[in-house]
Amino acid sequence: MNIGVDAAAFGMANAMVAHTNDVNAVYWNPAGLVHLEDGQASFMHANYFANIAQYDFAAYAQPIDTESAWGISLMRFGVDDILNTTQLIDSEGNIDYNRIQKFSTADYALTLSYGRKLKIPGFQYGVNAKVIRRIIGKFANSWGFGFDAGIQWDRDNWKLGLMVRDITTTYNVWAINEEEYNSIKGAIPGQNQDLPESTEITAPKAQFGVSREFDLHNETYLRFSGNLNMQFAKTNDFLATDFISIDPALGAEYNYTDLVFVRAGFGNFQRITQIDGGTRLGFQPNIGIGFKYKGIEVDYALTDLGDQSAALYSNIFSIKVDFSVFR
């Protein structure tokens, strides 16, 4: 749930909270759903971490009336065909490759979203209710529930946004398959000796965003946007204290006649520990491009260009369909 959705957003380093205004607002800030004029659908596929993981997302949203809108989304992030080598050596100490099995681990999230305009001009708010499902082969699975809340304000070409994720704290309750657990308990001496905790807690996080669009005339536009991604704990983020850690993100988009889009962004500023014990500042440069024709938009993004961060590069593709073109 922290990764993000939509290749257009990845191209701008996910600096989307302030100006998101389409179906993908179900993730970035449900307040932006109120800008929809008709139904929209969105689909995304990403080969994440240099093709190690598969990340998929689908969403649909539409207006309820002139003041409100709703949306629904489903995402999956999984690593498939993981080799289980814990039974590689039989009881007599022989290596038997036929004992190797494969399993998958995957996270799923189903989100219901609602956005509505406030009585104050320029203000709108939105909420998400989400169900989390996590599966680790036959070993364990969990269910979780949580809520997000967001608000936006726009005036002229300026936009502000605030999104608080897991605002009530999200709880995942795990069920451990003890039979499967006992089968791997002694695979590595001294490890996996105790059952893991059965409850996983996700603390609230906040994102504050600012966006400004410039009219370059001849139906071309340039947008700059920025996010401050905040966690209420000390991490390896660029700015970190015992109370709060902040990871900034900056993005830009060039829009040529609402037909061609070119994007770039910098985010994921982290302090990375070196082999010698020192630290360096890592960051993730991203680029992207998009094409839109008759309500159908196709986008692509390449993340971590030049391998400047600890994360591996990822290729992201997405498509967005505005159903108004079929009416």
Side-chain angles (χ1 to χ4, degrees):
M1 295 299 296
N2 293 326
I3 296 174
V5 302
D6 184 30
F10 279 101
M12 298 179 66
N14 292 342
M16 300 294 293
V17 172
H19 69 272
T20 182
N21 61 1
D22 57 23
V23 59
N24 295 306
V26 295
Y27 177 88
W28 293 113
N29 189 340
L33 291 173
V34 302
H35 299 290
L36 289 173
E37 297 180 356
D38 207 322
Q40 284 188 358
S42 176
F43 306 93
M44 182 195 75
H45 175 74
N47 294 314
Y48 224 73
F49 301 139
N51 300 333
I52 295 172
Q54 305 299 310
Y55 183 28
D56 297 284
F57 170 81
Y60 176 79
Q62 70 174 41
I64 298 173
D65 50 35
T66 58
E67 302 294 323
S68 60
W70 70 276
I72 185 172
S73 66
L74 177 66
M75 64 174 64
R76 178 190 185 271
F77 186 93
V79 179
D80 300 307
D81 296 329
I82 303 171
L83 297 179
N84 179 2
T85 60
T86 57
Q87 308 301 315
L88 178 62
I89 302 176
D90 63 23
S91 59
E92 298 180 355
N94 300 312
I95 295 177
D96 184 356
Y97 291 103
N98 293 321
R99 295 166 63 90
I100 296 177
Q101 297 180 336
K102 294 181 179 181
F103 69 97
S104 298
T105 178
D107 294 348
Y108 300 85
L110 175 67
T111 303
L112 297 175
S113 306
Y114 175 78
R116 188 172 185 83
K117 294 181 180 179
L118 290 170
K119 298 298 183 182
I120 306 173
F123 281 90
Q124 49 265 349
Y125 73 91
V127 293
N128 286 339
K130 54 191 179 184
V131 179
I132 312 296
R133 176 68 167 164
R134 309 188 70 186
I135 301 173
I136 305 176
K138 298 179 180 179
F139 304 106
N141 63 83
S142 75
W143 287 98
F145 305 90
F147 295 90
D148 307 326
I151 191 169
Q152 285 183 332
W153 173 79
D154 56 80
R155 183 174 181 180
D156 298 326
N157 292 320
W158 285 96
K159 299 181 185 295
L160 302 178
L162 176 66
M163 179 68 169
V164 182
R165 303 188 182 276
D166 306 296
I167 192 169
T168 58
T169 303
T170 296
Y171 293 87
N172 269 71
V173 180
W174 285 90
I176 310 295
N177 185 327
E178 294 195 32
E179 181 180 348
E180 290 290 337
Y181 171 76
N182 288 330
S183 71
I184 66 170
K185 186 175 181 180
I188 302 177
Q191 294 189 22
N192 301 323
Q193 300 303 302
D194 299 315
L195 282 171
E197 295 288 337
S198 60
T199 302
E200 182 181 10
I201 298 175
T202 304
K205 296 175 287 293
Q207 295 175 299
F208 174 74
V210 180
S211 177
R212 176 71 159 87
E213 185 177 72
F214 296 90
D215 186 347
L216 304 181
H217 305 297
N218 299 322
E219 299 185 10
T220 59
Y221 303 89
L222 184 62
R223 180 188 300 278
F224 293 99
S225 61
N227 268 21
L228 294 178
N229 304 312
M230 297 169 277
Q231 299 186 62
F232 300 100
K234 191 170 185 178
T235 68
N236 289 329
D237 287 341
F238 175 60
L239 299 172
T241 67
D242 291 335
F243 171 69
I244 191 171
S245 297
I246 300 176
D247 169 27
L250 302 171
E253 177 185 66
Y254 173 75
N255 175 350
Y256 176 71
T257 68
D258 208 31
L259 177 67
V260 178
F261 305 86
V262 179
R263 307 176 180 101
F266 297 87
N268 195 25
F269 290 88
Q270 303 282 314
R271 298 190 182 278
I272 301 173
T273 302
Q274 304 287 79
I275 297 177
D276 60 3
T279 61
R280 71 174 179 87
L281 181 63
F283 62 95
Q284 185 170 306
N286 309 323
I287 58 172
I289 190 169
F291 301 93
K292 184 177 180 180
Y293 181 71
K294 291 187 176 180
I296 299 177
E297 182 176 337
V298 178
D299 296 294
Y300 167 77
L302 174 64
T303 71
D304 199 18
L305 181 69
D307 196 25
Q308 295 296 315
S309 76
L312 299 175
Y313 73 88
S314 303
N315 294 289
I316 298 103
F317 297 88
S318 67
I319 184 171
K320 184 173 62 181
V321 180
D322 191 326
F323 289 100
S324 63
V325 299
F326 303 110
R327 302 187 189 282

